[in-house]
Amino acid sequence: MNKIDEGIINQEKANWKFNQEVTKVFDSHVRKSVPMYDEFHSMIADLSQWFAEEGTNIYDVGTSTGEGLKNIVDIHKNKNINFIGIDESKDMFNEAKNRFKDYSNVSFINGDISNSDIVINNASII
């Protein structure tokens, strides 16, 4: 076992699991690991202004804790748009769901987009 980051100890190289241990510190860890993480999310949110359409769905595939989706939701909060986060990890799914528990237009699907019955429809952004 390796200590990957503060709070992430029980992970093996090439066998990364997005479990409860990782979920608790994911937002902090990813900022240290991915260069320009916040800038990237900010650019996606800015670009969404060109493509988001009223009455459509915006999907965030691999939503993790929902932090990136939050930027897009905040920009389009006054529009008639449904936001749908998809994540395979049950722990990430639960964290994202909890983050948006007070939002009526945000929902989440726990599943693997590549081998499941998840249907993408009426999307203006994926």
Side-chain angles (χ1 to χ4, degrees):
M1 297 294 168
N2 297 298
K3 180 176 179 179
I4 306 297
D5 194 359
E6 198 62 41
I8 305 176
I9 297 171
N10 297 318
Q11 298 292 326
E12 293 181 35
K13 290 180 181 174
N15 193 24
W16 187 259
K17 301 281 188 243
F18 289 102
N19 57 22
Q20 189 173 23
E21 175 190 34
V22 171
T23 300
K24 285 190 254 182
V25 296
F26 179 79
D27 292 333
S28 169
H29 173 73
V30 75
R31 282 187 171 81
K32 297 178 206 172
S33 306
V34 177
M36 298 181 63
Y37 177 79
D38 288 317
E39 291 84 354
F40 179 67
H41 279 262
S42 178
M43 287 188 294
I44 291 171
D46 288 345
L47 284 170
S48 76
Q49 294 180 76
W50 289 94
F51 302 102
E53 296 178 19
E54 294 270 349
T56 65
N57 299 318
I58 292 179
Y59 290 87
D60 183 18
V61 178
T63 198
S64 303
T65 64
E67 188 171 14
L69 184 60
K70 177 107 173 57
N71 295 329
I72 297 171
V73 170
D74 288 345
I75 284 179
H76 301 290
K77 64 184 168 202
N78 296 321
K79 294 181 183 171
N80 176 26
I81 295 175
N82 293 308
F83 303 90
I84 303 157
I86 302 170
D87 205 280
E88 180 180 19
S89 164
K90 184 71 170 173
D91 293 308
M92 291 288 190
F93 165 80
N94 288 333
E95 180 71 23
K97 240 174 69 167
N98 187 51
R99 177 173 282 184
F100 289 93
K101 66 182 176 224
D102 297 327
Y103 291 72
S104 61
N105 61 338
V106 181
S107 61
F108 294 92
I109 299 169
N110 182 218
D112 181 349
I113 191 80
S114 67
N115 63 4
S116 72
D117 295 329
I118 297 171
V119 176
I120 304 287
N121 64 16
N122 194 31
S124 59
I125 300 173
I126 301 173

